[in-house]
Each structure stands twice: as C-alpha cells, then as structure tokens.
Amino acid sequence: MNSHTQIKKYFLEIAKIFEQHFGSYENKQLPFQKTEHEWLNYFYSSPIFRHIHLEYYKTDKICVLHANTFPDPRVDIPMLGFDMIALGNKITGLFFDYTP
C-alpha cells in the first residue's frame, strides 16, 4: 500500500470515529480549493468541541491528513492539532500539537 492510500485510509477511519462521537460532518469546499486536487474538509461540532476540522488533501506529489479540535471556551481542555504528510511514496512528517 502506498503512503497516499495509507493516509486516505487513516482519514476515513478517523472520519468514521468522529461521526460515531460527534454526528454527521459537513463537507465544505473552501474558497481557495482547486478542483483538480482531491481535497476533503469535514467539519463537526459537539457540546464539548465548538469546532472540529478533519482534512485530506492530495496531489501527485503530496498528501496531507490534518485534524484539529477547538473546545468550547468553558471546557478546560487544550486545542489539539495533528498532521501527517507524505511526499512521493514516503510519509515524511508527523506533527502533534496541543495548546492550553
């Protein structure tokens, strides 16, 4: 399995988990998106998270899985961010960030 296929598989697995916990997503096309690239932007919300973004982006050269959560300000948990990046057929970056 190549890295782009693997990242798409991870995206779909996370989307399924998010849907089970947060309900249906809204797939928004952002103003700067180009139609020649595969680009999915799923947005969720819940009583705890005011904004959840799950994104998959793929061109011939790069593939990105991006997820972030923004809690309701009344909930004392950090914002979370995660990125997985593949260049060519190799996953070259994994990033995890939380901000109090």
Side-chain angles (χ1 to χ4, degrees):
M1 177 183 311
N2 73 34
S3 63
H4 292 207
T5 304
Q6 192 172 11
I7 288 176
K8 177 80 176 265
K9 181 179 174 224
Y10 294 151
F11 172 85
L12 294 172
E13 288 174 3
I14 293 169
K16 189 175 188 178
I17 291 167
F18 280 10
E19 190 167 347
Q20 289 171 349
H21 291 280
F22 306 121
S24 297
Y25 61 85
E26 182 180 353
N27 187 12
K28 294 182 184 178
Q29 183 164 346
L30 303 175
F32 51 83
Q33 282 184 226
K34 297 181 178 179
T35 56
E36 66 265 16
H37 301 145
E38 187 175 3
W39 204 337
L40 302 171
N41 280 292
Y42 290 6
F43 294 90
Y44 307 83
S45 64
S46 76
I48 295 173
F49 295 102
R50 63 183 165 86
H51 179 80
I52 302 165
H53 180 210
L54 180 61
E55 179 178 14
Y56 173 78
Y57 173 74
K58 179 181 167 280
T59 70
D60 292 340
K61 297 179 183 179
I62 189 170
C63 187
V64 176
L65 168 61
H66 168 78
N68 59 23
T69 62
F70 297 91
D72 183 287
R74 296 167 291 190
V75 179
D76 188 23
I77 57 176
M79 293 187 297
L80 298 173
F82 172 79
D83 293 289
M84 179 183 290
I85 300 166
L87 296 173
N89 194 28
K90 186 175 183 182
I91 294 175
T92 58
L94 291 170
F95 305 94
F96 184 79
D97 179 41
Y98 69 94
T99 303

